[in-house]
Amino acid sequence: MAITGIKGFNDILPGEVEKWQHIEATARRVFGLYGFAEIRIPILEKTELFARSIGDTTDIVEKEMYSFEDKGGNRVTMRPEGTASVMRAFIEHKLYAQDPVAKLYYLGPMFRYERPQKGRYRQFHQIGAEVTGVTDPKVDAQVLTMLCQFFAELGLTEPQLQINSLGCPDCRPVYRQALKDFLRAKLDLLCDDCKRRFETNPLRALDCKATGCKEATAGAPSVLDHLDAACQEHFAAVRKNLEAVGTAYTINPRMVRGLDYYTRTTFELVTGLLGAQSAVAAGGRYDGLISDLGGPSLPGIGFAMGVERVALLLAEEEFRKRPDLFVAALGDDAQAEAFRLMCALQKLGVAVEMDYEGKSLKSQMRRADKFNARFTLIIGGDEIAKGAAQLKNMDAGIQEEVTLAAEAVAGKVKG
Ligand code: HAM
């Protein structure tokens, strides 16, 4: 029996991969406009890094990490996300000493042992961006506006931006207590997970999909009514800045994130088109994370998008690459001529295909159809004798004679 891949670990095949390249190129271009530089971080980190940053009692750390002991007996984990690693690198290489304001982006695979379904995989890919060193709410608006610009440049009207504030270590405990007091009388309704984390992480019940949890949390106190004055002011300024630059958003006071490091602004870009996996991108502020990881006391904010989910939102056909030209040839001499011409054109930057096996004209034309080349050129004995052939523009359905010289063909095909 043939060996298959591992469940939840996908191959990204030609046809699909062009869409990924387009997503990545758009991200690089748009993020570049906002002054972000790329950082490449390793896939494997010390387990402790994620336990300390994402939080011991989160689903990710409790249940979903690919952790193991390496041959040297070290506890290591395949990164479930990028923020912790980027901040570890920021601290380790003292990037803050050159400039506390760093704008960094990254892309690559992440690993979580979740139950695979459409839009949810065990190896998935994120494109993420992080900014350190700025408390001013202008930067929250910049990060969100950049993310919305990215989706707009992909031509997507979905997903839509939702924002919330989770307060800070001063006001969140007050809210937690208010929520616990509210939920205590309804504990029986909560699902097993929410019951278990009632003491450690009661906020999770707010965005739990279980019917009982929805019922129990109906009418629950809102985090936004419990923000202290500084957090209220920050949230109001984020909203004002978003409005000033025309970035549309809605407020979702029930949004709680599955990672513990968030403070103040949190956000998600959500879609109704992907079933249960509604978050296409998500992130927020993490003003305590850098110091928690042993770095200086600097704030941070960022997001990550799931590339698979973005790809699902994009129509497929648009991204298939078409060769510029398909060359068909009849007979051995023409085959040799077509091959020489193809190689010369490729060196001139023209994307050319031919049928290497030199089958019948009919089968060569079937192949030409499959490639959907923009132009075709058919070479036989007469054409070689004349030194010219008919170049057919497949979209316009018209043809014209062209000299059988690479420069001449390239001139016509590249337009
Ligand atoms: P997250 O919400 O855990 O946040 O993940 C961000 C995005 O990654 C999700 O919105 C989703 O699109 C995608 N994603 C997550 N898990 C999966 C999965 N199993 N399969 C497919 N896609 C998935 C973070 O990871 C934070 N580090 C974001 C951040 C950056 N916050 C601040 N800076």
PDB file of all heavy atoms in Angstrom, residues 43-56 58 60-62 64-70 73-81 84-85 88 293:
ATOM      1  N   ILE A  43      10.996  26.824  13.611  1.00  0.00           N
ATOM      2  CA  ILE A  43       9.754  26.069  13.834  1.00  0.00           C
ATOM      3  C   ILE A  43       9.754  25.466  15.240  1.00  0.00           C
ATOM      4  O   ILE A  43       8.713  25.338  15.869  1.00  0.00           O
ATOM      5  CB  ILE A  43       9.600  25.007  12.728  1.00  0.00           C
ATOM      6  CG1 ILE A  43       9.117  25.703  11.454  1.00  0.00           C
ATOM      7  CG2 ILE A  43       8.631  23.899  13.140  1.00  0.00           C
ATOM      8  CD1 ILE A  43       9.088  24.874  10.222  1.00  0.00           C
ATOM      9  N   LEU A  44      10.937  25.121  15.720  1.00  0.00           N
ATOM     10  CA  LEU A  44      11.024  24.476  17.035  1.00  0.00           C
ATOM     11  C   LEU A  44      11.505  25.482  18.088  1.00  0.00           C
ATOM     12  O   LEU A  44      12.458  26.213  17.849  1.00  0.00           O
ATOM     13  CB  LEU A  44      12.037  23.334  16.921  1.00  0.00           C
ATOM     14  CG  LEU A  44      11.759  22.045  17.684  1.00  0.00           C
ATOM     15  CD1 LEU A  44      10.393  21.487  17.350  1.00  0.00           C
ATOM     16  CD2 LEU A  44      12.833  21.015  17.380  1.00  0.00           C
ATOM     17  N   GLU A  45      10.802  25.499  19.224  1.00  0.00           N
ATOM     18  CA  GLU A  45      11.203  26.381  20.332  1.00  0.00           C
ATOM     19  C   GLU A  45      11.129  25.575  21.622  1.00  0.00           C
ATOM     20  O   GLU A  45      10.513  24.511  21.672  1.00  0.00           O
ATOM     21  CB  GLU A  45      10.237  27.571  20.453  1.00  0.00           C
ATOM     22  CG  GLU A  45      10.195  28.516  19.272  1.00  0.00           C
ATOM     23  CD  GLU A  45      11.221  29.655  19.340  1.00  0.00           C
ATOM     24  OE1 GLU A  45      12.081  29.666  20.254  1.00  0.00           O
ATOM     25  OE2 GLU A  45      11.152  30.530  18.464  1.00  0.00           O
ATOM     26  N   LYS A  46      11.711  26.133  22.681  1.00  0.00           N
ATOM     27  CA  LYS A  46      11.554  25.491  23.985  1.00  0.00           C
ATOM     28  C   LYS A  46      10.074  25.531  24.381  1.00  0.00           C
ATOM     29  O   LYS A  46       9.424  26.568  24.240  1.00  0.00           O
ATOM     30  CB  LYS A  46      12.380  26.226  25.036  1.00  0.00           C
ATOM     31  CG  LYS A  46      13.871  26.059  24.802  1.00  0.00           C
ATOM     32  CD  LYS A  46      14.670  26.815  25.849  1.00  0.00           C
ATOM     33  CE  LYS A  46      16.147  26.674  25.530  1.00  0.00           C
ATOM     34  NZ  LYS A  46      16.975  27.712  26.160  1.00  0.00           N
ATOM     35  N   THR A  47       9.553  24.452  24.880  1.00  0.00           N
ATOM     36  CA  THR A  47       8.135  24.346  25.261  1.00  0.00           C
ATOM     37  C   THR A  47       7.741  25.474  26.202  1.00  0.00           C
ATOM     38  O   THR A  47       6.659  26.053  26.106  1.00  0.00           O
ATOM     39  CB  THR A  47       7.878  22.980  25.917  1.00  0.00           C
ATOM     40  OG1 THR A  47       8.214  21.977  24.954  1.00  0.00           O
ATOM     41  CG2 THR A  47       6.431  22.807  26.347  1.00  0.00           C
ATOM     42  N   GLU A  48       8.636  25.778  27.102  1.00  0.00           N
ATOM     43  CA  GLU A  48       8.417  26.805  28.116  1.00  0.00           C
ATOM     44  C   GLU A  48       7.999  28.161  27.517  1.00  0.00           C
ATOM     45  O   GLU A  48       7.216  28.898  28.105  1.00  0.00           O
ATOM     46  CB  GLU A  48       9.783  26.937  28.793  1.00  0.00           C
ATOM     47  CG  GLU A  48       9.879  27.716  30.014  1.00  0.00           C
ATOM     48  CD  GLU A  48      11.374  27.989  30.301  1.00  0.00           C
ATOM     49  OE1 GLU A  48      12.261  27.279  29.778  1.00  0.00           O
ATOM     50  OE2 GLU A  48      11.612  28.955  31.040  1.00  0.00           O
ATOM     51  N   LEU A  49       8.534  28.469  26.326  1.00  0.00           N
ATOM     52  CA  LEU A  49       8.215  29.762  25.696  1.00  0.00           C
ATOM     53  C   LEU A  49       6.709  29.894  25.481  1.00  0.00           C
ATOM     54  O   LEU A  49       6.120  30.938  25.759  1.00  0.00           O
ATOM     55  CB  LEU A  49       8.941  29.893  24.345  1.00  0.00           C
ATOM     56  CG  LEU A  49       8.541  31.124  23.507  1.00  0.00           C
ATOM     57  CD1 LEU A  49       9.024  32.415  24.162  1.00  0.00           C
ATOM     58  CD2 LEU A  49       9.096  31.019  22.086  1.00  0.00           C
ATOM     59  N   PHE A  50       6.077  28.835  24.992  1.00  0.00           N
ATOM     60  CA  PHE A  50       4.639  28.913  24.686  1.00  0.00           C
ATOM     61  C   PHE A  50       3.805  28.801  25.956  1.00  0.00           C
ATOM     62  O   PHE A  50       2.770  29.442  26.077  1.00  0.00           O
ATOM     63  CB  PHE A  50       4.261  27.848  23.658  1.00  0.00           C
ATOM     64  CG  PHE A  50       5.038  27.985  22.379  1.00  0.00           C
ATOM     65  CD1 PHE A  50       5.955  27.024  21.983  1.00  0.00           C
ATOM     66  CD2 PHE A  50       4.880  29.126  21.595  1.00  0.00           C
ATOM     67  CE1 PHE A  50       6.681  27.174  20.816  1.00  0.00           C
ATOM     68  CE2 PHE A  50       5.607  29.286  20.420  1.00  0.00           C
ATOM     69  CZ  PHE A  50       6.517  28.303  20.036  1.00  0.00           C
ATOM     70  N   ALA A  51       4.274  27.980  26.891  1.00  0.00           N
ATOM     71  CA  ALA A  51       3.529  27.845  28.151  1.00  0.00           C
ATOM     72  C   ALA A  51       3.472  29.208  28.835  1.00  0.00           C
ATOM     73  O   ALA A  51       2.436  29.632  29.321  1.00  0.00           O
ATOM     74  CB  ALA A  51       4.205  26.814  29.040  1.00  0.00           C
ATOM     75  N   ARG A  52       4.608  29.927  28.814  1.00  0.00           N
ATOM     76  CA  ARG A  52       4.660  31.191  29.522  1.00  0.00           C
ATOM     77  C   ARG A  52       3.906  32.313  28.794  1.00  0.00           C
ATOM     78  O   ARG A  52       3.309  33.180  29.414  1.00  0.00           O
ATOM     79  CB  ARG A  52       6.115  31.624  29.719  1.00  0.00           C
ATOM     80  CG  ARG A  52       6.237  32.396  31.037  1.00  0.00           C
ATOM     81  CD  ARG A  52       7.493  33.204  31.156  1.00  0.00           C
ATOM     82  NE  ARG A  52       8.694  32.405  31.325  1.00  0.00           N
ATOM     83  CZ  ARG A  52       9.895  32.976  31.351  1.00  0.00           C
ATOM     84  NH1 ARG A  52      10.039  34.277  31.249  1.00  0.00           N
ATOM     85  NH2 ARG A  52      10.960  32.227  31.491  1.00  0.00           N
ATOM     86  N   SER A  53       3.901  32.294  27.475  1.00  0.00           N
ATOM     87  CA  SER A  53       3.283  33.413  26.743  1.00  0.00           C
ATOM     88  C   SER A  53       1.808  33.166  26.432  1.00  0.00           C
ATOM     89  O   SER A  53       0.955  33.992  26.753  1.00  0.00           O
ATOM     90  CB  SER A  53       4.055  33.668  25.446  1.00  0.00           C
ATOM     91  OG  SER A  53       4.123  32.475  24.687  1.00  0.00           O
ATOM     92  N   ILE A  54       1.496  32.035  25.822  1.00  0.00           N
ATOM     93  CA  ILE A  54       0.104  31.766  25.420  1.00  0.00           C
ATOM     94  C   ILE A  54      -0.746  31.472  26.649  1.00  0.00           C
ATOM     95  O   ILE A  54      -1.922  31.824  26.706  1.00  0.00           O
ATOM     96  CB  ILE A  54       0.055  30.588  24.424  1.00  0.00           C
ATOM     97  CG1 ILE A  54       0.866  30.921  23.177  1.00  0.00           C
ATOM     98  CG2 ILE A  54      -1.378  30.242  24.045  1.00  0.00           C
ATOM     99  CD1 ILE A  54       1.050  29.774  22.210  1.00  0.00           C
ATOM    100  N   GLY A  55      -0.117  30.836  27.656  1.00  0.00           N
ATOM    101  CA  GLY A  55      -0.818  30.587  28.920  1.00  0.00           C
ATOM    102  C   GLY A  55      -1.044  29.103  29.171  1.00  0.00           C
ATOM    103  O   GLY A  55      -1.520  28.397  28.290  1.00  0.00           O
ATOM    104  N   ASP A  56      -0.724  28.678  30.396  1.00  0.00           N
ATOM    105  CA  ASP A  56      -0.815  27.266  30.792  1.00  0.00           C
ATOM    106  C   ASP A  56      -2.202  26.664  30.665  1.00  0.00           C
ATOM    107  O   ASP A  56      -2.354  25.477  30.453  1.00  0.00           O
ATOM    108  CB  ASP A  56      -0.411  27.138  32.276  1.00  0.00           C
ATOM    109  CG  ASP A  56       1.090  27.067  32.401  1.00  0.00           C
ATOM    110  OD1 ASP A  56       1.726  26.514  31.490  1.00  0.00           O
ATOM    111  OD2 ASP A  56       1.620  27.592  33.405  1.00  0.00           O
ATOM    112  N   THR A  58      -4.648  27.556  28.542  1.00  0.00           N
ATOM    113  CA  THR A  58      -5.331  27.722  27.253  1.00  0.00           C
ATOM    114  C   THR A  58      -5.438  26.367  26.555  1.00  0.00           C
ATOM    115  O   THR A  58      -4.662  25.443  26.840  1.00  0.00           O
ATOM    116  CB  THR A  58      -4.540  28.673  26.333  1.00  0.00           C
ATOM    117  OG1 THR A  58      -3.213  28.145  26.189  1.00  0.00           O
ATOM    118  CG2 THR A  58      -4.455  30.070  26.927  1.00  0.00           C
ATOM    119  N   ILE A  60      -4.651  25.726  23.559  1.00  0.00           N
ATOM    120  CA  ILE A  60      -3.446  25.485  22.758  1.00  0.00           C
ATOM    121  C   ILE A  60      -2.395  24.773  23.606  1.00  0.00           C
ATOM    122  O   ILE A  60      -1.877  23.723  23.232  1.00  0.00           O
ATOM    123  CB  ILE A  60      -2.869  26.813  22.196  1.00  0.00           C
ATOM    124  CG1 ILE A  60      -3.875  27.474  21.253  1.00  0.00           C
ATOM    125  CG2 ILE A  60      -1.545  26.575  21.484  1.00  0.00           C
ATOM    126  CD1 ILE A  60      -3.415  28.807  20.661  1.00  0.00           C
ATOM    127  N   VAL A  61      -2.096  25.335  24.773  1.00  0.00           N
ATOM    128  CA  VAL A  61      -1.011  24.763  25.591  1.00  0.00           C
ATOM    129  C   VAL A  61      -1.464  23.464  26.270  1.00  0.00           C
ATOM    130  O   VAL A  61      -0.707  22.494  26.350  1.00  0.00           O
ATOM    131  CB  VAL A  61      -0.513  25.803  26.614  1.00  0.00           C
ATOM    132  CG1 VAL A  61       0.473  25.184  27.599  1.00  0.00           C
ATOM    133  CG2 VAL A  61       0.144  26.974  25.881  1.00  0.00           C
ATOM    134  N   GLU A  62      -2.714  23.417  26.706  1.00  0.00           N
ATOM    135  CA  GLU A  62      -3.172  22.205  27.412  1.00  0.00           C
ATOM    136  C   GLU A  62      -3.311  21.003  26.499  1.00  0.00           C
ATOM    137  O   GLU A  62      -3.008  19.888  26.876  1.00  0.00           O
ATOM    138  CB  GLU A  62      -4.538  22.471  28.052  1.00  0.00           C
ATOM    139  CG  GLU A  62      -4.446  23.020  29.447  1.00  0.00           C
ATOM    140  CD  GLU A  62      -5.819  23.087  30.118  1.00  0.00           C
ATOM    141  OE1 GLU A  62      -6.844  22.893  29.430  1.00  0.00           O
ATOM    142  OE2 GLU A  62      -5.857  23.343  31.328  1.00  0.00           O
ATOM    143  N   GLU A  64      -3.119  21.113  22.551  1.00  0.00           N
ATOM    144  CA  GLU A  64      -2.920  21.115  21.100  1.00  0.00           C
ATOM    145  C   GLU A  64      -1.468  21.170  20.638  1.00  0.00           C
ATOM    146  O   GLU A  64      -1.203  21.177  19.443  1.00  0.00           O
ATOM    147  CB  GLU A  64      -3.673  22.316  20.495  1.00  0.00           C
ATOM    148  CG  GLU A  64      -5.176  22.208  20.665  1.00  0.00           C
ATOM    149  CD  GLU A  64      -5.921  23.476  20.297  1.00  0.00           C
ATOM    150  OE1 GLU A  64      -5.273  24.467  19.904  1.00  0.00           O
ATOM    151  OE2 GLU A  64      -7.155  23.473  20.416  1.00  0.00           O
ATOM    152  N   MET A  65      -0.516  21.212  21.578  1.00  0.00           N
ATOM    153  CA  MET A  65       0.853  21.427  21.108  1.00  0.00           C
ATOM    154  C   MET A  65       1.536  20.122  20.709  1.00  0.00           C
ATOM    155  O   MET A  65       1.348  19.090  21.334  1.00  0.00           O
ATOM    156  CB  MET A  65       1.672  22.150  22.170  1.00  0.00           C
ATOM    157  CG  MET A  65       1.159  23.557  22.398  1.00  0.00           C
ATOM    158  SD  MET A  65       2.385  24.719  22.956  1.00  0.00           S
ATOM    159  CE  MET A  65       3.019  23.983  24.426  1.00  0.00           C
ATOM    160  N   TYR A  66       2.323  20.215  19.645  1.00  0.00           N
ATOM    161  CA  TYR A  66       3.197  19.105  19.254  1.00  0.00           C
ATOM    162  C   TYR A  66       4.489  19.280  20.047  1.00  0.00           C
ATOM    163  O   TYR A  66       5.389  20.003  19.636  1.00  0.00           O
ATOM    164  CB  TYR A  66       3.495  19.158  17.762  1.00  0.00           C
ATOM    165  CG  TYR A  66       2.370  18.612  16.905  1.00  0.00           C
ATOM    166  CD1 TYR A  66       1.319  19.427  16.506  1.00  0.00           C
ATOM    167  CD2 TYR A  66       2.360  17.274  16.510  1.00  0.00           C
ATOM    168  CE1 TYR A  66       0.285  18.919  15.727  1.00  0.00           C
ATOM    169  CE2 TYR A  66       1.336  16.763  15.726  1.00  0.00           C
ATOM    170  CZ  TYR A  66       0.306  17.591  15.344  1.00  0.00           C
ATOM    171  OH  TYR A  66      -0.707  17.081  14.582  1.00  0.00           O
ATOM    172  N   SER A  67       4.526  18.644  21.220  1.00  0.00           N
ATOM    173  CA  SER A  67       5.695  18.791  22.081  1.00  0.00           C
ATOM    174  C   SER A  67       6.358  17.428  22.232  1.00  0.00           C
ATOM    175  O   SER A  67       5.679  16.407  22.254  1.00  0.00           O
ATOM    176  CB  SER A  67       5.278  19.269  23.480  1.00  0.00           C
ATOM    177  OG  SER A  67       4.662  20.528  23.386  1.00  0.00           O
ATOM    178  N   PHE A  68       7.657  17.427  22.325  1.00  0.00           N
ATOM    179  CA  PHE A  68       8.368  16.171  22.549  1.00  0.00           C
ATOM    180  C   PHE A  68       9.742  16.459  23.144  1.00  0.00           C
ATOM    181  O   PHE A  68      10.175  17.612  23.206  1.00  0.00           O
ATOM    182  CB  PHE A  68       8.494  15.366  21.248  1.00  0.00           C
ATOM    183  CG  PHE A  68       9.151  16.128  20.116  1.00  0.00           C
ATOM    184  CD1 PHE A  68      10.514  16.023  19.892  1.00  0.00           C
ATOM    185  CD2 PHE A  68       8.402  16.958  19.278  1.00  0.00           C
ATOM    186  CE1 PHE A  68      11.125  16.708  18.855  1.00  0.00           C
ATOM    187  CE2 PHE A  68       9.003  17.653  18.240  1.00  0.00           C
ATOM    188  CZ  PHE A  68      10.360  17.524  18.029  1.00  0.00           C
ATOM    189  N   GLU A  69      10.358  15.380  23.576  1.00  0.00           N
ATOM    190  CA  GLU A  69      11.714  15.507  24.103  1.00  0.00           C
ATOM    191  C   GLU A  69      12.669  15.199  22.959  1.00  0.00           C
ATOM    192  O   GLU A  69      12.487  14.193  22.267  1.00  0.00           O
ATOM    193  CB  GLU A  69      11.886  14.476  25.207  1.00  0.00           C
ATOM    194  CG  GLU A  69      12.809  14.934  26.296  1.00  0.00           C
ATOM    195  CD  GLU A  69      12.677  14.046  27.513  1.00  0.00           C
ATOM    196  OE1 GLU A  69      13.370  13.018  27.542  1.00  0.00           O
ATOM    197  OE2 GLU A  69      11.863  14.385  28.402  1.00  0.00           O
ATOM    198  N   ASP A  70      13.634  16.062  22.703  1.00  0.00           N
ATOM    199  CA  ASP A  70      14.558  15.753  21.602  1.00  0.00           C
ATOM    200  C   ASP A  70      15.631  14.783  22.098  1.00  0.00           C
ATOM    201  O   ASP A  70      15.611  14.357  23.256  1.00  0.00           O
ATOM    202  CB  ASP A  70      15.134  17.041  20.981  1.00  0.00           C
ATOM    203  CG  ASP A  70      16.137  17.741  21.882  1.00  0.00           C
ATOM    204  OD1 ASP A  70      16.499  17.189  22.961  1.00  0.00           O
ATOM    205  OD2 ASP A  70      16.569  18.859  21.534  1.00  0.00           O
ATOM    206  N   GLY A  73      17.217  15.296  25.361  1.00  0.00           N
ATOM    207  CA  GLY A  73      16.393  15.362  26.566  1.00  0.00           C
ATOM    208  C   GLY A  73      15.774  16.729  26.819  1.00  0.00           C
ATOM    209  O   GLY A  73      15.284  17.012  27.910  1.00  0.00           O
ATOM    210  N   ASN A  74      15.788  17.621  25.804  1.00  0.00           N
ATOM    211  CA  ASN A  74      15.177  18.953  25.965  1.00  0.00           C
ATOM    212  C   ASN A  74      13.704  18.908  25.573  1.00  0.00           C
ATOM    213  O   ASN A  74      13.353  18.274  24.582  1.00  0.00           O
ATOM    214  CB  ASN A  74      15.884  19.970  25.050  1.00  0.00           C
ATOM    215  CG  ASN A  74      17.380  19.943  25.239  1.00  0.00           C
ATOM    216  OD1 ASN A  74      17.890  20.222  26.316  1.00  0.00           O
ATOM    217  ND2 ASN A  74      18.101  19.552  24.189  1.00  0.00           N
ATOM    218  N   ARG A  75      12.855  19.602  26.342  1.00  0.00           N
ATOM    219  CA  ARG A  75      11.425  19.682  26.003  1.00  0.00           C
ATOM    220  C   ARG A  75      11.243  20.753  24.934  1.00  0.00           C
ATOM    221  O   ARG A  75      11.522  21.935  25.174  1.00  0.00           O
ATOM    222  CB  ARG A  75      10.588  20.060  27.233  1.00  0.00           C
ATOM    223  CG  ARG A  75      10.521  19.030  28.322  1.00  0.00           C
ATOM    224  CD  ARG A  75       9.779  17.782  27.913  1.00  0.00           C
ATOM    225  NE  ARG A  75       8.383  18.018  27.506  1.00  0.00           N
ATOM    226  CZ  ARG A  75       7.651  17.157  26.795  1.00  0.00           C
ATOM    227  NH1 ARG A  75       8.173  16.019  26.378  1.00  0.00           N
ATOM    228  NH2 ARG A  75       6.409  17.435  26.505  1.00  0.00           N
ATOM    229  N   VAL A  76      10.820  20.346  23.753  1.00  0.00           N
ATOM    230  CA  VAL A  76      10.665  21.298  22.648  1.00  0.00           C
ATOM    231  C   VAL A  76       9.262  21.186  22.051  1.00  0.00           C
ATOM    232  O   VAL A  76       8.589  20.169  22.227  1.00  0.00           O
ATOM    233  CB  VAL A  76      11.734  21.075  21.547  1.00  0.00           C
ATOM    234  CG1 VAL A  76      13.120  21.416  22.062  1.00  0.00           C
ATOM    235  CG2 VAL A  76      11.694  19.641  21.030  1.00  0.00           C
ATOM    236  N   THR A  77       8.847  22.251  21.347  1.00  0.00           N
ATOM    237  CA  THR A  77       7.493  22.316  20.784  1.00  0.00           C
ATOM    238  C   THR A  77       7.551  22.895  19.379  1.00  0.00           C
ATOM    239  O   THR A  77       8.278  23.868  19.132  1.00  0.00           O
ATOM    240  CB  THR A  77       6.597  23.206  21.674  1.00  0.00           C
ATOM    241  OG1 THR A  77       6.451  22.571  22.941  1.00  0.00           O
ATOM    242  CG2 THR A  77       5.222  23.433  21.065  1.00  0.00           C
ATOM    243  N   MET A  78       6.781  22.292  18.474  1.00  0.00           N
ATOM    244  CA  MET A  78       6.643  22.867  17.129  1.00  0.00           C
ATOM    245  C   MET A  78       5.677  24.037  17.251  1.00  0.00           C
ATOM    246  O   MET A  78       4.546  23.862  17.709  1.00  0.00           O
ATOM    247  CB  MET A  78       6.107  21.820  16.158  1.00  0.00           C
ATOM    248  CG  MET A  78       7.151  20.760  15.865  1.00  0.00           C
ATOM    249  SD  MET A  78       6.444  19.288  15.132  1.00  0.00           S
ATOM    250  CE  MET A  78       6.132  19.860  13.481  1.00  0.00           C
ATOM    251  N   ARG A  79       6.137  25.213  16.862  1.00  0.00           N
ATOM    252  CA  ARG A  79       5.402  26.450  17.179  1.00  0.00           C
ATOM    253  C   ARG A  79       3.911  26.375  16.806  1.00  0.00           C
ATOM    254  O   ARG A  79       3.572  26.059  15.667  1.00  0.00           O
ATOM    255  CB  ARG A  79       6.055  27.640  16.474  1.00  0.00           C
ATOM    256  CG  ARG A  79       6.036  27.464  14.974  1.00  0.00           C
ATOM    257  CD  ARG A  79       6.746  28.593  14.255  1.00  0.00           C
ATOM    258  NE  ARG A  79       6.514  28.452  12.818  1.00  0.00           N
ATOM    259  CZ  ARG A  79       7.224  29.035  11.889  1.00  0.00           C
ATOM    260  NH1 ARG A  79       8.240  29.811  12.206  1.00  0.00           N
ATOM    261  NH2 ARG A  79       6.939  28.858  10.620  1.00  0.00           N
ATOM    262  N   PRO A  80       3.034  26.686  17.753  1.00  0.00           N
ATOM    263  CA  PRO A  80       1.604  26.757  17.440  1.00  0.00           C
ATOM    264  C   PRO A  80       1.195  28.136  16.942  1.00  0.00           C
ATOM    265  O   PRO A  80       0.076  28.319  16.481  1.00  0.00           O
ATOM    266  CB  PRO A  80       0.934  26.460  18.789  1.00  0.00           C
ATOM    267  CG  PRO A  80       1.921  26.934  19.809  1.00  0.00           C
ATOM    268  CD  PRO A  80       3.300  26.782  19.210  1.00  0.00           C
ATOM    269  N   GLU A  81       2.081  29.109  17.039  1.00  0.00           N
ATOM    270  CA  GLU A  81       1.815  30.484  16.586  1.00  0.00           C
ATOM    271  C   GLU A  81       3.152  31.219  16.515  1.00  0.00           C
ATOM    272  O   GLU A  81       4.184  30.658  16.885  1.00  0.00           O
ATOM    273  CB  GLU A  81       0.878  31.197  17.564  1.00  0.00           C
ATOM    274  CG  GLU A  81       1.407  31.311  18.991  1.00  0.00           C
ATOM    275  CD  GLU A  81       1.683  32.736  19.426  1.00  0.00           C
ATOM    276  OE1 GLU A  81       0.853  33.609  19.177  1.00  0.00           O
ATOM    277  OE2 GLU A  81       2.765  32.970  20.004  1.00  0.00           O
ATOM    278  N   ALA A  84       4.947  34.587  20.052  1.00  0.00           N
ATOM    279  CA  ALA A  84       5.889  34.274  21.139  1.00  0.00           C
ATOM    280  C   ALA A  84       7.320  34.191  20.599  1.00  0.00           C
ATOM    281  O   ALA A  84       8.255  34.727  21.207  1.00  0.00           O
ATOM    282  CB  ALA A  84       5.487  32.958  21.805  1.00  0.00           C
ATOM    283  N   SER A  85       7.478  33.543  19.441  1.00  0.00           N
ATOM    284  CA  SER A  85       8.830  33.397  18.874  1.00  0.00           C
ATOM    285  C   SER A  85       9.392  34.747  18.443  1.00  0.00           C
ATOM    286  O   SER A  85      10.582  35.026  18.652  1.00  0.00           O
ATOM    287  CB  SER A  85       8.801  32.480  17.649  1.00  0.00           C
ATOM    288  OG  SER A  85       8.274  31.231  17.972  1.00  0.00           O
ATOM    289  N   ARG A  88      10.448  36.508  21.486  1.00  0.00           N
ATOM    290  CA  ARG A  88      11.666  35.885  22.008  1.00  0.00           C
ATOM    291  C   ARG A  88      12.887  36.375  21.228  1.00  0.00           C
ATOM    292  O   ARG A  88      13.909  36.761  21.801  1.00  0.00           O
ATOM    293  CB  ARG A  88      11.514  34.342  21.914  1.00  0.00           C
ATOM    294  CG  ARG A  88      12.489  33.537  22.688  1.00  0.00           C
ATOM    295  CD  ARG A  88      13.533  32.739  21.875  1.00  0.00           C
ATOM    296  NE  ARG A  88      13.139  32.276  20.582  1.00  0.00           N
ATOM    297  CZ  ARG A  88      13.788  32.623  19.472  1.00  0.00           C
ATOM    298  NH1 ARG A  88      14.826  33.464  19.494  1.00  0.00           N
ATOM    299  NH2 ARG A  88      13.391  32.160  18.298  1.00  0.00           N
ATOM    300  N   LEU A 293       8.313  37.811  29.207  1.00  0.00           N
ATOM    301  CA  LEU A 293       9.300  36.900  28.616  1.00  0.00           C
ATOM    302  C   LEU A 293      10.730  37.314  28.974  1.00  0.00           C
ATOM    303  O   LEU A 293      11.692  36.803  28.394  1.00  0.00           O
ATOM    304  CB  LEU A 293       9.125  36.851  27.090  1.00  0.00           C
ATOM    305  CG  LEU A 293       7.856  36.138  26.576  1.00  0.00           C
ATOM    306  CD1 LEU A 293       7.754  36.256  25.050  1.00  0.00           C
ATOM    307  CD2 LEU A 293       7.845  34.672  26.990  1.00  0.00           C
TER     308      LEU A 293
END
